[in-house]
Amino acid sequence: MSSKITSGKRFEGKVVLVTASTQGIGFSIAERFGLEGASVVISSRKQKNVDEAVEKLKAKDIKVSGVVCHVSNAQQRKNLVETTVQKYGKIDVVVSNAAVNPSTDPTLETEESVLDKLWEINVKASILLLKAGEDAAPHMKKDSSVVLISSISGYHQHDSLAMYGVSKTALFGLTKVLAAEMAPDTRVNCVAPGYVPTHFTGYITGDQTLRKAIEDRTLLNRLGTTDDMASAVAFLASDDASYITGETLVVAGGMPSRL
Ligand code: NAP
């Protein structure tokens, strides 16, 4: 699906770094920023995926570079940031999008190694990517922005997504903490997507019964699209949201989340 531009080119001259962005929601986020004029740096674990995604974005006249980066690999994180800064001289927007859900076991039966991995990739990697003195934060100046990608599961932990959901709940708190620490130059916000058919959710959204049950829990009678998520992220990173920081935007078609 190709991105719709509704608000002109809000990111002309901006440099945007998106993790886990060679397919799915991350790819659409990168595409959206690129179509609105940004230079985007995409990344994921596999060189082949990075190369293919770069080609797809270049075919749309998007200014794009690709770097291999497994978000829990310190050297690759450093390389991602350094390559971006060497090429463009700054970072205006960081979108931290990588996550895993390695197990559908009940919480008390989840292996310790899985608990560690959930923390490491879904929470810790976002902190380390931004960490002052080492990674992206020192390169983020006035009017910069961070968007963390959480999940509706952070509010309501589906049985098969229990500890994944808890890791996403942690991002709501992390958003508040980083917003306070990075203010006033950098705004930090969070998007909590509802269910979007991607590789990640294929085992749920590919099952017609489960899919119908989720659609019925939305008020708009449909699943989300990757473009729905990209629009919300672009809004939060743009000047349109210049007085918003420390907030989570739920983009879930009205699925129950919070009051
Ligand atoms: P997806 O379509 O499966 O795409 C995952 C992307 O992440 C790929 O580009 C993959 O490329 C990359 N990736 C995976 N592990 C990585 C790692 N450790 N380091 C760097 N890159 C990695 O997933 P998605 O559904 O778009 O999910 C994106 C984000 O949205 C996640 O944070 C997820 O929790 C959140 N979310 C999704 C939904 C949904 O319904 N889809 C709902 C709520 C929240 P490589 O294989 O090359 O690494």
Side-chain angles (χ1 to χ4, degrees):
M1 188 176 301
S2 107
S3 224
K4 298 185 292 278
I5 295 182
T6 52
S7 312
K9 295 210 165 196
R10 293 175 291 184
F11 300 102
E12 211 68 75
K14 303 284 185 189
V15 178
V16 178
L17 188 159
V18 189
T19 65
S21 45
T22 56
Q23 65 175 7
I25 292 171
F27 180 84
S28 287
I29 293 169
E31 181 186 38
R32 177 60 183 254
F33 279 109
L35 290 174
E36 288 208 43
S39 297
V40 290
V41 181
I42 63 164
S43 59
S44 78
R45 294 168 300 180
K46 300 185 191 114
Q47 184 74 59
K48 182 171 173 289
N49 294 346
V50 171
D51 293 343
E52 285 174 4
V54 164
E55 286 315 307
K56 279 188 208 159
L57 294 172
K58 279 190 173 159
K60 298 191 172 198
D61 286 332
I62 287 171
K63 300 180 278 293
V64 56
S65 309
V67 178
V68 168
C69 177
H70 188 314
V71 294
S72 66
N73 180 318
Q75 192 51 47
Q76 292 185 0
R77 269 196 322 266
K78 195 168 166 31
N79 184 46
L80 172 65
V81 172
E82 280 180 4
T83 305
T84 306
V85 173
Q86 271 163 18
K87 183 153 187 176
Y88 301 107
K90 61 171 184 171
I91 302 173
D92 295 295
V93 179
V94 170
V95 182
S96 185
N97 174 63
V100 284
N101 179 32
S103 158
T104 53
D105 290 338
T107 306
L108 296 181
E109 291 165 30
T110 301
E111 299 279 347
E112 186 173 351
S113 60
V114 170
L115 297 175
D116 289 344
K117 194 166 186 185
L118 284 164
W119 166 251
E120 194 170 301
I121 293 183
N122 297 7
V123 186
K124 198 172 87 175
S126 292
I127 303 168
L128 295 178
L129 182 69
L130 296 165
K131 200 165 160 29
E134 288 181 25
D135 289 303
H139 305 288
M140 302 189 74
K141 308 289 185 214
K142 196 167 164 27
D143 296 332
S144 56
S145 173
V146 173
V147 182
L148 306 180
I149 305 300
S150 178
S151 168
I152 189 81
S153 308
Y155 292 105
H156 293 279
Q157 288 82 13
H158 184 277
D159 290 350
S160 70
L161 296 165
M163 280 314 294
Y164 162 83
V166 171
S167 72
K168 293 296 194 176
T169 311
L171 294 183
F172 303 148
L174 182 62
T175 301
K176 295 281 182 202
V177 166
L178 293 180
E181 291 190 12
M182 296 181 80
D185 287 347
T186 305
R187 296 180 300 105
V188 182
N189 291 294
C190 178
V191 165
Y195 286 79
V196 181
T198 63
H199 177 70
F200 187 71
T201 51
Y203 76 104
I204 299 174
T205 56
D207 177 315
Q208 289 313 310
T209 311
L210 285 178
R211 183 185 175 117
K212 175 80 175 59
I214 294 166
E215 285 169 350
D216 288 347
R217 282 170 56 210
T218 71
L219 301 180
L220 303 181
N221 301 323
R222 68 169 177 88
L223 301 184
T225 66
T226 59
D227 282 344
D228 290 329
M229 307 309 138
S231 298
V233 172
F235 163 67
L236 286 172
S238 76
D239 288 345
D240 292 338
S242 58
Y243 200 49
I244 302 177
T245 193
E247 298 296 340
T248 294
L249 183 53
V250 180
V251 188
M255 278 181 91
S257 56
R258 60 190 170 193
L259 273 183

